[in-house]
Amino acid sequence: MEQKELKRLLQITQEIYEKKNEVDATDIYKAAGITAAEANAFILKAEEENLADVVEIDMCCGADYVIKGLTKKGLALIAE
């Protein structure tokens, strides 16, 4: 994922978070015009790079991820 796209998705995530206090993949792909798989990949990348506080919810058929906010590092990236 390119840095520009990562920053765009972080900005969208922050906007949704400010309204709902949490963000899931469905919120992201609807707002960003990407696929569900791309939204999930973004969430995992954001967690891996310590850009977002991600909570994993174990489901019977896999896992779901919820973003509980951006980290200082994530907020700094969108402020650039």
Side-chain angles (χ1 to χ4, degrees), residues 64-76:
D64 198 11
Y65 301 94
V66 176
I67 294 177
K68 299 300 272 181
L70 298 184
T71 63
K72 288 180 182 179
K73 183 177 176 183
L75 291 170

Side-chain angles (χ1 to χ4, degrees), residues 16-51:
I16 296 167
Y17 177 77
E18 289 173 359
K19 294 175 188 167
K20 293 181 54 180
N21 290 326
E22 66 179 34
V23 184
D24 63 18
T26 303
D27 295 325
I28 295 168
Y29 78 75
K30 285 182 178 179
I34 59 176
T35 67
E38 289 169 327
N40 279 321
F42 158 71
I43 291 171
L44 294 174
K45 183 167 183 68
E47 178 182 40
E48 179 182 293
E49 294 190 14
N50 193 31
L51 299 171

